[in-house]
Amino acid sequence: MSVLYNTTYLRVHYDGFAHALESEWLRPPTSEELRTGLQIGLELAREYHVRAWISNLRQMPGISLEDEIWVRTVWFAQFIQLDITHMAIVESRSQSIRSGVVELLERAGQLAPLSTGYFANRAAARNWVMGGQLIPGQPLHSIPNPGLSDHRAGL
């Protein structure tokens, strides 16, 4: 896995074998850092033609209402234009972030084919992406994975 972007608040890795991007928030970002980081992720996903995105949100606290609106409108409109078929979320400790991400990705799944998995740690998310599960249209519920976090394990 190679590092494509590295700052004090965000690190983005790329795995060419899995055509996967992994964004890892290293600390709570400012509003400007959040928007810059999310835009960089979109640009790298486009440039590297990724099919899977692992978003590690463990260090992500709640975000402002203004940033949430920006993510739901500006960022999301660009995200659904990508060829991403799998989105693995390493969940935040923040309930508001978890709820917002679930709602956003459920909406994405209605607009484009997207399988989404929610995980308690990055190893489980990577295993799901690397485990030969990159078959478009394969339902998530058929994928056995003990790494799913407790409150999303029923998906």
Side-chain angles (χ1 to χ4, degrees):
M1 208 179 271
S2 58
V3 176
L4 300 178
Y5 185 76
N6 193 22
T7 65
T8 60
Y9 62 92
L10 177 66
R11 184 174 302 126
V12 180
H13 305 269
Y14 175 68
D15 182 332
F17 179 74
H19 299 284
L21 196 68
E22 179 180 339
S23 57
E24 176 185 11
W25 294 95
L26 304 172
R27 65 166 171 77
T30 65
S31 180
E32 182 180 338
E33 291 169 342
L34 174 75
R35 292 177 187 214
T36 298
L38 289 174
Q39 283 300 130
I40 293 287
L42 290 173
E43 291 168 19
L44 292 172
R46 252 184 243 106
E47 180 180 342
Y48 286 85
H49 306 284
V50 300
R51 304 289 289 167
W53 189 329
I54 300 167
S55 184
N56 187 339
L57 302 176
R58 292 300 285 168
Q59 300 300 320
M60 180 66 71
I63 62 174
S64 72
L65 179 57
E66 185 177 291
D67 285 334
E68 184 178 335
I69 291 168
W70 179 85
V71 169
R72 290 177 182 277
T73 56
V74 176
W75 184 84
F76 181 73
Q78 296 173 64
F79 175 80
I80 61 171
Q81 298 300 315
L82 299 172
D83 291 329
I84 294 174
T85 58
H86 285 65
M87 186 75 173
I89 303 296
V90 179
E91 293 183 305
S92 171
R93 293 177 179 102
S94 164
Q95 180 60 41
S96 66
I97 289 291
R98 286 194 306 259
S99 298
V101 167
V102 167
E103 182 182 322
L104 188 68
L105 292 174
E106 284 176 356
R107 187 169 152 218
Q110 293 170 357
L111 300 174
L114 182 68
S115 292
T116 306
Y118 299 88
F119 303 90
N121 60 64
R122 64 194 276 197
R126 284 182 183 164
N127 285 340
W128 182 64
V129 167
M130 294 295 293
Q133 305 302 334
L134 295 179
I135 303 166
Q138 182 175 358
L140 179 61
H141 61 79
S142 68
I143 303 168
N145 193 323
L148 285 173
S149 65
D150 292 341
H151 74 281
R152 298 301 298 169
L155 286 181

